Every structure is written in structure tokens, then in C-alpha cells.
Amino acid sequence: MLPYVIRRLLQAIPILLAVAALIFVMFSVIPGDFASTQMADGRSVVDAEQVARMNKQFGLDDPVHVRFANYATKLATFDLGTSFRTRQPVINSLLERIWPSLQLAIAAMAFAIAFGIPLGFLAALKPGGWLDMQSMFVAVSGLSLPQFWLGLMLMYAFALVLGWFPSFGYGDGNPRYIVLPAVALGVAPLALLARTTRAAVLEVMNADFVRTARAKGNSEVRVMRWHVARNAMVIVLTTLGLQFGSIMGGAVVIEKLFAWPGIGSLLVDSVSLRDIPVVQACILLLVLFFLVVNIIVDVLCALIDPRIKYT
């Protein structure tokens, strides 16, 4: 297992380099730069001479290949560069935002797991029944609703009308502030987990080894716990890992809507300001998070099902 993990981590290096190159090329061909954006948005009074001076200071007037060589050299030494806007190392901005983003992602996935997996499992016990129909309605609705619309409805109902939760902000880690954004972010993974769990349980329940377990006289509870749930969990865990890996990127809209100080809102602000070093670092961090989560999921699947071997 350890050689497999090491190999997967090494394979992540060229993926990160490819993503970094793609981001660099993309922002090199998009019109506009940080200095001209400052002038256009009225954030500071700058003229053409100041724009040229700022471009020279940030190295934006160098040829593309020179800028890419400098960026790749810094990246090889784990130097993410300096923010154009704050003039501080990019790593400082990431360290300030990564914990709120992780909090939101963990809370959203906890909500999805707590309701999605039991809902899908119970629906599979009586396919075609009332609970099955209702769970599939919830699943389809959860996958269909736009996150920003759902967030606005939650904000209106539970913050403005009922006043149960704050409508936006971080609240210095107060748990009440995370409820609405976590629910808005977790509804789609909840729906997908419910559908995946239902399909996985139905597939395992029709397997030969389950019928053999029942024929041996095992109780239904034991069959469900040790044969059905354990084998179905491999498929569910794979889906869970993919959702948890992508939820950080999907949190961009929710973080901006609820004024949550995470990586997603930092990414949106940096894109609008053409703060390229911060944008590159945010995307690389999201990609790295996705890769690491998938490696962890592969390891957990092998621990749950010893038949899975990684070479």
C-alpha cells in the first residue's frame, strides 16, 4: 500500500505542473492586468506612467516565456509568489483562508452523509415504496436546484423571516454562522449520495453471496450489516471522496453569497482584480486537495474490502 501511495503522490506532481502551466497561459492571453484593472475600477488614481511602472515592478512587461520560467522556478522551490494587491506572500493569504474553507467543506459533507446515506439505504430496503419515491424526489430536486438560488431561499427563510441563523459572515467561528452555507453546499452531495447508496445497496442485495448468507441462517440484521452495507460502502465511499474533493471548488458561489472568508471567495476576488499569483495558488491548492482526497479514498476502500489490491 505504501508504494502505491508514494507513486500516486509522485504522479500528482506533473498534474499540478500542467494545471499551473494552463492557468499561466490562460491569464497571459486574457486582456487586462492588475495595474490597468486598478485604474479602470477607480480603486486608486493611476495614470499610464504608473501603470507601466507597476507592470515593470511585477514583471508583467517581460516576455511570456521569461515570466513562465520565473514562475516555474519559484514553484519548484515552493514559493507561490507575492500578491499584487497586498504585497504579501501568497502563502499568508492561503493560510488565513484555508481553515474556514475546510470548516465549510467538512460541515457540508457531514450534513450530506448524515442524511444522504441513511436515506438511500432505507429507500433500497423497499424499492418502489413510499420512502423510495420520496427519497428519489429529494435526490432529483437536490441535484436540480441551483446552489445560489437555494442559498438565497435559505437566507430568506431562516435568517430574515425566522431569524434562527445569521444571514452571512464568519462570526469568528461561531457554529450558527456555518449552518446555512453548509446546508446550501451539502444538498447536492446529499442527493447524489442518496441515489448512489440506493443503487449500491440494491445491487449488493441481489448478489449471490447475500443469498448464501441468508441461506446459512444469518439474521437479517447481520446480513445487512456485514454483507450488504460493507460491500455497498465501497461504491458509496468512492462517490463520497469525489464529492468531498470537488466540494472545495464548488464552494466558490456559496462562500461569495454568504460572505464566507474561504479560498473560494479569495479566488473570486483575485480573479476580478487580476491578482494572478493568488489565483494560481488557489487553483493549485484546490487541485491538490482533490488529488489527496482521492488517494485517501483509495486507501480506505482497500481497508474496507481486502479483495481490492493496489500494485
Side-chain angles (χ1 to χ4, degrees):
M1 182 64 70
L2 182 60
Y4 169 77
V5 174
I6 295 175
R7 187 170 68 252
R8 285 289 299 273
L9 291 175
L10 293 176
Q11 290 173 350
I13 296 177
I15 296 176
L16 292 173
L17 292 178
V19 171
L22 181 61
I23 301 168
F24 182 87
V25 171
M26 181 179 65
F27 276 91
S28 296
V29 299
I30 293 178
D33 52 43
F34 175 76
S36 58
T37 301
Q38 293 289 97
M39 181 174 62
D41 291 349
R43 292 184 175 87
S44 60
V45 180
V46 294
D47 54 22
E49 183 179 349
Q50 288 176 308
V51 169
R53 186 164 56 249
M54 292 174 68
N55 286 335
K56 183 176 180 60
Q57 176 186 355
F58 298 134
L60 298 177
D61 57 350
D62 293 333
V64 175
H65 66 278
V66 174
R67 286 189 281 129
F68 181 74
N70 293 334
Y71 172 65
T73 302
K74 290 183 178 180
L75 193 61
T77 59
F78 302 99
D79 182 2
L80 298 177
T82 303
S83 171
F84 295 163
R85 179 170 57 93
T86 64
R87 309 297 199 273
Q88 298 293 324
V90 174
I91 188 64
N92 293 345
S93 300
L94 295 182
L95 292 177
E96 292 175 358
R97 300 294 190 103
I98 190 170
W99 175 234
S101 285
L102 286 175
Q103 283 181 306
L104 181 58
I106 293 172
M109 289 309 301
F111 169 73
I113 293 170
F115 291 95
I117 294 179
L119 187 62
F121 192 90
L122 293 175
L125 297 180
K126 291 185 178 180
W130 179 84
L131 182 58
D132 186 23
M133 300 290 290
Q134 295 301 317
S135 66
M136 289 304 98
F137 173 78
V138 171
V140 173
S141 301
L143 291 173
S144 303
L145 293 176
Q147 282 186 337
F148 69 91
W149 181 87
L150 179 60
L152 289 174
M153 293 300 100
L154 292 173
M155 190 183 299
Y156 174 77
F158 294 99
L160 298 181
V161 177
L162 298 175
W164 292 354
F165 303 103
S167 58
F168 63 89
Y170 184 58
D172 294 328
N174 189 326
R176 295 179 67 248
Y177 283 82
I178 203 174
V179 173
L180 294 184
V183 171
L185 186 61
V187 164
L190 183 155
L192 186 58
L193 281 175
R195 295 187 63 179
T196 303
T197 303
R198 177 184 179 273
V201 171
L202 286 175
E203 181 181 354
V204 174
M205 286 177 64
N206 295 322
D208 293 336
F209 64 87
V210 174
R211 286 194 289 267
T212 302
R214 288 195 176 102
K216 289 181 176 180
N218 290 307
S219 65
E220 192 66 18
V221 174
R222 182 176 178 81
V223 169
M224 288 297 172
R225 177 183 298 177
W226 294 104
H227 298 279
V228 175
R230 185 172 182 177
N231 286 277
M233 194 53 60
V234 174
I235 301 175
V236 175
L237 188 60
T238 302
T239 304
L240 180 63
L242 292 174
Q243 287 298 300
F244 190 66
S246 61
I247 203 171
M248 290 283 284
V252 172
V253 175
I254 297 300
E255 287 186 3
K256 197 64 180 175
L257 179 63
F258 287 92
W260 192 262
I263 297 295
S265 57
L266 176 64
L267 177 60
V268 173
D269 294 338
S270 301
V271 168
S272 63
L273 291 174
R274 296 293 193 273
D275 196 347
I276 299 176
V278 178
V279 174
Q280 292 170 329
C282 288
I283 298 178
L284 285 176
L285 180 62
L286 295 177
V287 173
L288 179 62
F289 181 81
F290 185 86
L291 294 173
V292 171
V293 167
N294 277 274
I295 294 174
I296 295 175
V297 167
D298 289 342
V299 173
L300 291 178
C301 287
L303 295 176
I304 293 176
D305 190 347
R307 295 173 300 176
I308 299 176
K309 301 296 182 182
Y310 295 108
T311 59

